Amino acid sequence: MELTVNSILDAKGLACPMPIVKKKKEMSSLEPGQVMEIQATDKGSTADLKAWAESTGNQYLGTVEDGEILKHYLRKASSDEEKTEYNHPHVVSLDDLTKKIEGDEKITILDVRESAEYAFGHIPGAVHLPLGELEHRFEEIDKNDDIHVVCRTGSRSDLAAQKLAEKGFENVKNVVPGMKEWTGPKNKN
């Protein structure tokens, strides 16, 4: 592959949201049209970066696997391609989610983490649909459900909540901060 890379970012060993946080800072130093290579080991980083690029107008060029390292390539958008980055406006805390679960409210908990993360502990009854698969599996979710999207920190779930809202899902909430601070019951696969 012949590709001119203007900047290389080492995000190996970092979990979501750190590859995106570091990438945002590094991306601001690039000129429009320049390309950044992000080296990561987090399997979820592919879906995260694709979704982030789509939501900001930057271009996701692709990912090359080099052993355990994922090399992601992003092209910085020009000012007329750029989109304003925003967060999903409907957010719910872990305390509020716990109250809904304990109150037997009819909600759908959508866990968008990678399979390995989900397997090591998830909220009982949560529907597992990794962010990278969401776009191809929207039909598995009822648009009329009260959907609470969860990930590890609230970053990946924010991107998923935005995608769901764009597809016409009206009752979508991003759960923050996410599973890293969840103290309720967990199931393991």
Side-chain angles (χ1 to χ4, degrees), residues 65-187:
E65 291 189 38
D66 185 5
E68 294 294 313
I69 298 170
L70 300 167
K71 294 181 178 181
H72 307 290
Y73 297 93
L74 297 175
R75 184 187 67 76
K76 184 171 180 174
S78 63
S79 57
D80 58 322
E81 295 171 310
E82 252 179 351
K83 297 178 188 173
T84 303
E85 192 172 356
Y86 71 97
N87 291 329
H88 185 70
H90 306 289
V91 177
V92 83
S93 70
L94 288 172
D95 287 341
D96 290 339
L97 178 61
T98 300
K99 287 174 189 169
K100 287 179 179 279
I101 293 169
E102 290 172 352
D104 285 331
E105 289 190 40
K106 184 170 174 6
I107 61 170
T108 297
I109 300 169
L110 181 63
D111 192 321
V112 295
R113 295 175 300 155
E114 291 298 301
S115 295
E117 295 172 291
Y118 181 82
F120 280 100
H122 56 271
I123 297 170
V127 175
H128 181 232
L129 194 55
L131 177 61
E133 298 175 22
L134 184 62
E135 212 163 299
H136 304 292
R137 296 175 57 189
F138 285 120
E139 72 282 350
E140 294 178 30
I141 309 161
D142 188 334
K143 283 191 175 185
N144 299 313
D145 284 358
D146 186 8
I147 302 167
H148 290 65
V149 189
V150 67
C151 69
R152 189 175 84 80
T153 64
S155 292
R156 189 175 295 168
S157 55
D158 180 73
L159 294 168
Q162 290 179 45
K163 284 183 171 289
L164 288 164
E166 288 169 8
K167 290 292 184 183
F169 290 80
E170 294 181 12
N171 301 312
V172 180
K173 293 156 195 83
N174 182 24
V175 179
V176 225
M179 291 302 292
K180 76 174 190 170
E181 293 188 28
W182 175 254
T183 58
K186 288 184 187 177
N187 283 352

Side-chain angles (χ1 to χ4, degrees), residues 14-89:
L14 300 177
C16 180
M18 290 313 297
I20 287 188
V21 170
K22 287 185 79 169
K23 179 241 348 103
K24 283 182 191 177
K25 185 176 180 181
E26 186 71 22
M27 189 67 103
S28 67
S29 69
L30 293 179
E31 296 294 322
Q34 289 187 322
V35 174
M36 175 188 296
E37 175 184 298
I38 300 146
Q39 299 175 355
T41 50
D42 178 5
K43 297 295 183 198
S45 62
T46 303
D48 295 345
L49 292 169
K50 276 183 182 178
W52 176 84
E54 183 180 296
S55 71
T56 59
N58 292 288
Q59 184 180 6
Y60 170 79
L61 301 174
T63 297
V64 174
E65 291 189 38
D66 185 5
E68 294 294 313
I69 298 170
L70 300 167
K71 294 181 178 181
H72 307 290
Y73 297 93
L74 297 175
R75 184 187 67 76
K76 184 171 180 174
S78 63
S79 57
D80 58 322
E81 295 171 310
E82 252 179 351
K83 297 178 188 173
T84 303
E85 192 172 356
Y86 71 97
N87 291 329
H88 185 70

